[in-house]
mmCIF file of all heavy atoms in Angstrom:
data_model
loop_
_atom_site.group_PDB
_atom_site.id
_atom_site.type_symbol
_atom_site.label_atom_id
_atom_site.label_comp_id
_atom_site.label_asym_id
_atom_site.label_seq_id
_atom_site.Cartn_x
_atom_site.Cartn_y
_atom_site.Cartn_z
ATOM 1 N N GLU A 138 46.543 -277.009 -49.504
ATOM 2 C CA GLU A 138 46.965 -276.890 -50.900
ATOM 3 C C GLU A 138 46.538 -275.553 -51.505
ATOM 4 O O GLU A 138 47.241 -275.005 -52.365
ATOM 5 C CB GLU A 138 46.343 -278.030 -51.720
ATOM 6 C CG GLU A 138 46.830 -279.420 -51.315
ATOM 7 C CD GLU A 138 45.925 -280.528 -51.865
ATOM 8 O OE1 GLU A 138 44.937 -280.193 -52.565
ATOM 9 O OE2 GLU A 138 46.198 -281.706 -51.570
ATOM 10 N N ARG A 139 45.397 -275.003 -51.052
ATOM 11 C CA ARG A 139 44.791 -273.877 -51.758
ATOM 12 C C ARG A 139 44.812 -272.562 -51.005
ATOM 13 O O ARG A 139 44.581 -271.508 -51.598
ATOM 14 C CB ARG A 139 43.337 -274.236 -52.120
ATOM 15 C CG ARG A 139 43.251 -275.447 -53.026
ATOM 16 C CD ARG A 139 41.819 -275.944 -53.203
ATOM 17 N NE ARG A 139 41.776 -277.151 -54.025
ATOM 18 C CZ ARG A 139 40.675 -277.874 -54.247
ATOM 19 N NH1 ARG A 139 39.514 -277.485 -53.721
ATOM 20 N NH2 ARG A 139 40.734 -278.955 -55.001
ATOM 21 N N SER A 140 45.069 -272.578 -49.701
ATOM 22 C CA SER A 140 45.104 -271.324 -48.944
ATOM 23 C C SER A 140 46.291 -270.470 -49.364
ATOM 24 O O SER A 140 47.321 -270.985 -49.824
ATOM 25 C CB SER A 140 45.194 -271.608 -47.440
ATOM 26 O OG SER A 140 43.989 -272.144 -46.941
ATOM 27 N N MET A 141 46.162 -269.149 -49.213
ATOM 28 C CA MET A 141 47.292 -268.230 -49.370
ATOM 29 C C MET A 141 47.702 -267.793 -47.970
ATOM 30 O O MET A 141 47.032 -266.980 -47.341
ATOM 31 C CB MET A 141 46.895 -267.020 -50.213
ATOM 32 C CG MET A 141 48.069 -266.098 -50.552
ATOM 33 S SD MET A 141 47.586 -264.549 -51.358
ATOM 34 C CE MET A 141 47.341 -263.501 -49.906
ATOM 35 N N LEU A 142 48.812 -268.359 -47.479
ATOM 36 C CA LEU A 142 49.241 -268.094 -46.111
ATOM 37 C C LEU A 142 50.331 -267.032 -46.022
ATOM 38 O O LEU A 142 50.567 -266.487 -44.937
ATOM 39 C CB LEU A 142 49.739 -269.388 -45.454
ATOM 40 C CG LEU A 142 48.718 -270.538 -45.366
ATOM 41 C CD1 LEU A 142 49.347 -271.746 -44.676
ATOM 42 C CD2 LEU A 142 47.459 -270.105 -44.636
ATOM 43 N N THR A 143 51.004 -266.758 -47.121
ATOM 44 C CA THR A 143 52.067 -265.749 -47.125
ATOM 45 C C THR A 143 51.883 -264.831 -48.327
ATOM 46 O O THR A 143 51.203 -265.176 -49.303
ATOM 47 C CB THR A 143 53.459 -266.400 -47.197
ATOM 48 O OG1 THR A 143 53.537 -267.232 -48.371
ATOM 49 C CG2 THR A 143 53.721 -267.264 -45.965
ATOM 50 N N GLN A 144 52.491 -263.667 -48.256
ATOM 51 C CA GLN A 144 52.371 -262.706 -49.352
ATOM 52 C C GLN A 144 53.136 -263.213 -50.567
ATOM 53 O O GLN A 144 54.317 -263.540 -50.476
ATOM 54 C CB GLN A 144 52.915 -261.346 -48.940
ATOM 55 C CG GLN A 144 52.719 -260.264 -49.995
ATOM 56 C CD GLN A 144 52.987 -258.869 -49.454
ATOM 57 O OE1 GLN A 144 53.501 -258.716 -48.373
ATOM 58 N NE2 GLN A 144 52.631 -257.852 -50.216
ATOM 59 N N PRO A 145 52.480 -263.305 -51.719
ATOM 60 C CA PRO A 145 53.185 -263.757 -52.931
ATOM 61 C C PRO A 145 54.328 -262.802 -53.284
ATOM 62 O O PRO A 145 54.218 -261.591 -53.108
ATOM 63 C CB PRO A 145 52.085 -263.732 -53.998
ATOM 64 C CG PRO A 145 50.804 -263.778 -53.245
ATOM 65 C CD PRO A 145 51.061 -263.035 -51.967
ATOM 66 N N ARG A 146 55.397 -263.371 -53.780
ATOM 67 C CA ARG A 146 56.559 -262.547 -54.150
ATOM 68 C C ARG A 146 56.492 -262.051 -55.587
ATOM 69 O O ARG A 146 57.225 -261.141 -55.966
ATOM 70 C CB ARG A 146 57.847 -263.359 -53.968
ATOM 71 C CG ARG A 146 58.118 -263.766 -52.517
ATOM 72 C CD ARG A 146 59.429 -264.519 -52.414
ATOM 73 N NE ARG A 146 59.727 -264.888 -51.015
ATOM 74 C CZ ARG A 146 60.814 -265.553 -50.638
ATOM 75 N NH1 ARG A 146 61.708 -265.922 -51.544
ATOM 76 N NH2 ARG A 146 61.007 -265.851 -49.373
ATOM 77 N N ASP A 147 55.634 -262.681 -56.391
ATOM 78 C CA ASP A 147 55.651 -262.411 -57.834
ATOM 79 C C ASP A 147 54.430 -261.664 -58.330
ATOM 80 O O ASP A 147 54.252 -261.491 -59.532
ATOM 81 C CB ASP A 147 55.780 -263.735 -58.591
ATOM 82 C CG ASP A 147 54.618 -264.693 -58.300
ATOM 83 O OD1 ASP A 147 53.927 -264.477 -57.288
ATOM 84 O OD2 ASP A 147 54.426 -265.641 -59.080
ATOM 85 N N ARG A 148 53.558 -261.212 -57.436
ATOM 86 C CA ARG A 148 52.337 -260.571 -57.902
ATOM 87 C C ARG A 148 51.698 -259.794 -56.758
ATOM 88 O O ARG A 148 52.033 -259.988 -55.588
ATOM 89 C CB ARG A 148 51.345 -261.606 -58.427
ATOM 90 C CG ARG A 148 50.870 -262.596 -57.371
ATOM 91 C CD ARG A 148 50.011 -263.700 -57.997
ATOM 92 N NE ARG A 148 49.379 -264.536 -56.996
ATOM 93 C CZ ARG A 148 49.937 -265.611 -56.449
ATOM 94 N NH1 ARG A 148 51.169 -265.963 -56.806
ATOM 95 N NH2 ARG A 148 49.278 -266.324 -55.555
ATOM 96 N N GLU A 149 50.750 -258.921 -57.112
ATOM 97 C CA GLU A 149 49.982 -258.200 -56.112
ATOM 98 C C GLU A 149 48.823 -259.058 -55.634
ATOM 99 O O GLU A 149 48.220 -259.811 -56.416
ATOM 100 C CB GLU A 149 49.440 -256.898 -56.704
ATOM 101 C CG GLU A 149 50.509 -255.849 -56.983
ATOM 102 C CD GLU A 149 49.908 -254.544 -57.487
ATOM 103 O OE1 GLU A 149 49.006 -254.605 -58.343
ATOM 104 O OE2 GLU A 149 50.330 -253.473 -57.023
ATOM 105 N N ALA A 150 48.522 -258.948 -54.346
ATOM 106 C CA ALA A 150 47.409 -259.681 -53.764
ATOM 107 C C ALA A 150 46.827 -258.845 -52.633
ATOM 108 O O ALA A 150 47.487 -257.959 -52.083
ATOM 109 C CB ALA A 150 47.862 -261.044 -53.241
ATOM 110 N N VAL A 151 45.576 -259.112 -52.283
ATOM 111 C CA VAL A 151 44.933 -258.449 -51.153
ATOM 112 C C VAL A 151 45.342 -259.200 -49.889
ATOM 113 O O VAL A 151 44.920 -260.333 -49.667
ATOM 114 C CB VAL A 151 43.399 -258.441 -51.300
ATOM 115 C CG1 VAL A 151 42.752 -257.766 -50.090
ATOM 116 C CG2 VAL A 151 42.989 -257.740 -52.589
ATOM 117 N N CYS A 152 46.173 -258.573 -49.066
ATOM 118 C CA CYS A 152 46.685 -259.248 -47.874
ATOM 119 C C CYS A 152 45.694 -259.242 -46.710
ATOM 120 O O CYS A 152 45.887 -259.976 -45.737
ATOM 121 C CB CYS A 152 48.004 -258.608 -47.424
ATOM 122 S SG CYS A 152 49.446 -259.251 -48.317
ATOM 123 N N HIS A 153 44.669 -258.420 -46.786
ATOM 124 C CA HIS A 153 43.706 -258.364 -45.690
ATOM 125 C C HIS A 153 43.172 -259.770 -45.417
ATOM 126 O O HIS A 153 42.677 -260.448 -46.316
ATOM 127 C CB HIS A 153 42.567 -257.424 -46.041
ATOM 128 C CG HIS A 153 41.616 -257.200 -44.906
ATOM 129 N ND1 HIS A 153 41.825 -256.241 -43.947
ATOM 130 C CD2 HIS A 153 40.470 -257.837 -44.563
ATOM 131 C CE1 HIS A 153 40.834 -256.283 -43.058
ATOM 132 N NE2 HIS A 153 40.001 -257.243 -43.407
ATOM 133 N N ALA A 154 43.286 -260.220 -44.169
ATOM 134 C CA ALA A 154 42.938 -261.596 -43.824
ATOM 135 C C ALA A 154 41.456 -261.875 -44.052
ATOM 136 O O ALA A 154 40.596 -261.074 -43.683
ATOM 137 C CB ALA A 154 43.310 -261.880 -42.370
ATOM 138 N N SER A 155 41.159 -263.012 -44.644
ATOM 139 C CA SER A 155 39.769 -263.438 -44.834
ATOM 140 C C SER A 155 39.718 -264.954 -44.898
ATOM 141 O O SER A 155 40.701 -265.618 -45.223
ATOM 142 C CB SER A 155 39.166 -262.827 -46.111
ATOM 143 O OG SER A 155 39.929 -263.159 -47.249
ATOM 144 N N ALA A 156 38.557 -265.497 -44.571
ATOM 145 C CA ALA A 156 38.323 -266.939 -44.585
ATOM 146 C C ALA A 156 37.269 -267.247 -45.632
ATOM 147 O O ALA A 156 36.232 -266.585 -45.690
ATOM 148 C CB ALA A 156 37.862 -267.418 -43.204
ATOM 149 N N TRP A 157 37.511 -268.254 -46.427
ATOM 150 C CA TRP A 157 36.650 -268.560 -47.568
ATOM 151 C C TRP A 157 36.111 -269.985 -47.472
ATOM 152 O O TRP A 157 36.799 -270.888 -46.987
ATOM 153 C CB TRP A 157 37.433 -268.456 -48.872
ATOM 154 C CG TRP A 157 37.994 -267.102 -49.190
ATOM 155 C CD1 TRP A 157 38.870 -266.364 -48.448
ATOM 156 C CD2 TRP A 157 37.725 -266.329 -50.355
ATOM 157 N NE1 TRP A 157 39.157 -265.184 -49.069
ATOM 158 C CE2 TRP A 157 38.482 -265.135 -50.257
ATOM 159 C CE3 TRP A 157 36.946 -266.535 -51.482
ATOM 160 C CZ2 TRP A 157 38.444 -264.146 -51.235
ATOM 161 C CZ3 TRP A 157 36.915 -265.563 -52.459
ATOM 162 C CH2 TRP A 157 37.661 -264.370 -52.338
ATOM 163 N N ASN A 158 34.914 -270.185 -47.973
ATOM 164 C CA ASN A 158 34.407 -271.520 -48.273
ATOM 165 C C ASN A 158 33.945 -271.462 -49.714
ATOM 166 O O ASN A 158 32.832 -271.037 -50.013
ATOM 167 C CB ASN A 158 33.264 -271.926 -47.342
ATOM 168 C CG ASN A 158 32.895 -273.391 -47.498
ATOM 169 O OD1 ASN A 158 33.472 -274.094 -48.322
ATOM 170 N ND2 ASN A 158 31.946 -273.853 -46.717
ATOM 171 N N VAL A 159 34.807 -271.873 -50.610
ATOM 172 C CA VAL A 159 34.604 -271.604 -52.029
ATOM 173 C C VAL A 159 33.388 -272.336 -52.580
ATOM 174 O O VAL A 159 32.642 -271.800 -53.395
ATOM 175 C CB VAL A 159 35.880 -271.954 -52.831
ATOM 176 C CG1 VAL A 159 35.642 -271.862 -54.328
ATOM 177 C CG2 VAL A 159 37.011 -271.000 -52.423
ATOM 178 N N ASN A 160 33.164 -273.581 -52.135
ATOM 179 C CA ASN A 160 32.031 -274.339 -52.672
ATOM 180 C C ASN A 160 30.886 -274.492 -51.668
ATOM 181 O O ASN A 160 29.962 -275.286 -51.881
ATOM 182 C CB ASN A 160 32.485 -275.709 -53.171
ATOM 183 C CG ASN A 160 33.013 -276.596 -52.057
ATOM 184 O OD1 ASN A 160 33.066 -276.188 -50.894
ATOM 185 N ND2 ASN A 160 33.413 -277.813 -52.407
ATOM 186 N N ASP A 161 30.939 -273.755 -50.558
ATOM 187 C CA ASP A 161 29.927 -273.835 -49.511
ATOM 188 C C ASP A 161 29.788 -275.242 -48.947
ATOM 189 O O ASP A 161 28.759 -275.585 -48.363
ATOM 190 C CB ASP A 161 28.558 -273.345 -50.015
ATOM 191 C CG ASP A 161 28.501 -271.835 -50.147
ATOM 192 O OD1 ASP A 161 29.156 -271.155 -49.355
ATOM 193 O OD2 ASP A 161 27.809 -271.343 -51.059
ATOM 194 N N GLU A 162 30.825 -276.049 -49.119
ATOM 195 C CA GLU A 162 30.844 -277.400 -48.568
ATOM 196 C C GLU A 162 32.103 -277.572 -47.721
ATOM 197 O O GLU A 162 32.095 -277.261 -46.547
ATOM 198 C CB GLU A 162 30.778 -278.444 -49.695
ATOM 199 C CG GLU A 162 29.441 -278.488 -50.437
ATOM 200 C CD GLU A 162 28.318 -279.085 -49.617
ATOM 201 O OE1 GLU A 162 28.617 -279.738 -48.589
ATOM 202 O OE2 GLU A 162 27.148 -278.896 -49.997
ATOM 203 N N ASP A 163 33.192 -278.020 -48.361
ATOM 204 C CA ASP A 163 34.399 -278.315 -47.595
ATOM 205 C C ASP A 163 35.658 -277.707 -48.206
ATOM 206 O O ASP A 163 36.760 -278.022 -47.780
ATOM 207 C CB ASP A 163 34.568 -279.834 -47.466
ATOM 208 C CG ASP A 163 35.359 -280.225 -46.223
ATOM 209 O OD1 ASP A 163 35.208 -279.545 -45.184
ATOM 210 O OD2 ASP A 163 36.129 -281.204 -46.291
ATOM 211 N N ASP A 164 35.506 -276.820 -49.191
ATOM 212 C CA ASP A 164 36.672 -276.174 -49.795
ATOM 213 C C ASP A 164 36.977 -274.888 -49.033
ATOM 214 O O ASP A 164 36.856 -273.778 -49.546
ATOM 215 C CB ASP A 164 36.419 -275.886 -51.270
ATOM 216 C CG ASP A 164 37.676 -275.397 -51.999
ATOM 217 O OD1 ASP A 164 38.741 -275.300 -51.344
ATOM 218 O OD2 ASP A 164 37.588 -275.129 -53.212
ATOM 219 N N VAL A 165 37.377 -275.053 -47.761
ATOM 220 C CA VAL A 165 37.660 -273.904 -46.907
ATOM 221 C C VAL A 165 39.111 -273.483 -47.090
ATOM 222 O O VAL A 165 40.003 -274.300 -47.316
ATOM 223 C CB VAL A 165 37.368 -274.218 -45.425
ATOM 224 C CG1 VAL A 165 35.879 -274.387 -45.200
ATOM 225 C CG2 VAL A 165 38.121 -275.468 -44.955
ATOM 226 N N ARG A 166 39.353 -272.184 -46.991
ATOM 227 C CA ARG A 166 40.695 -271.626 -47.170
ATOM 228 C C ARG A 166 40.805 -270.353 -46.338
ATOM 229 O O ARG A 166 39.790 -269.729 -46.019
ATOM 230 C CB ARG A 166 40.955 -271.247 -48.637
ATOM 231 C CG ARG A 166 40.518 -272.255 -49.661
ATOM 232 C CD ARG A 166 40.686 -271.715 -51.078
ATOM 233 N NE ARG A 166 40.114 -272.625 -52.064
ATOM 234 C CZ ARG A 166 40.127 -272.421 -53.375
ATOM 235 N NH1 ARG A 166 40.709 -271.309 -53.860
ATOM 236 N NH2 ARG A 166 39.594 -273.277 -54.195
#
């Protein structure tokens, strides 16, 4: 639901690949 897997068409984004754990628990993206 929360990962960005493709380049957005409507805005600028950093495309450089990275892996996140937003809450240091299970909110991985």
Side-chain angles (χ1 to χ4, degrees):
E138 295 164 1
R139 299 171 183 174
S140 290
M141 187 188 90
L142 300 181
T143 57
Q144 185 167 11
R146 296 182 178 180
D147 60 342
R148 63 187 189 273
E149 290 184 316
V151 179
C152 276
H153 186 86
S155 57
W157 298 59
N158 190 358
V159 172
N160 64 359
D161 285 327
E162 291 288 344
D163 206 36
D164 188 1
V165 292
R166 316 174 187 181

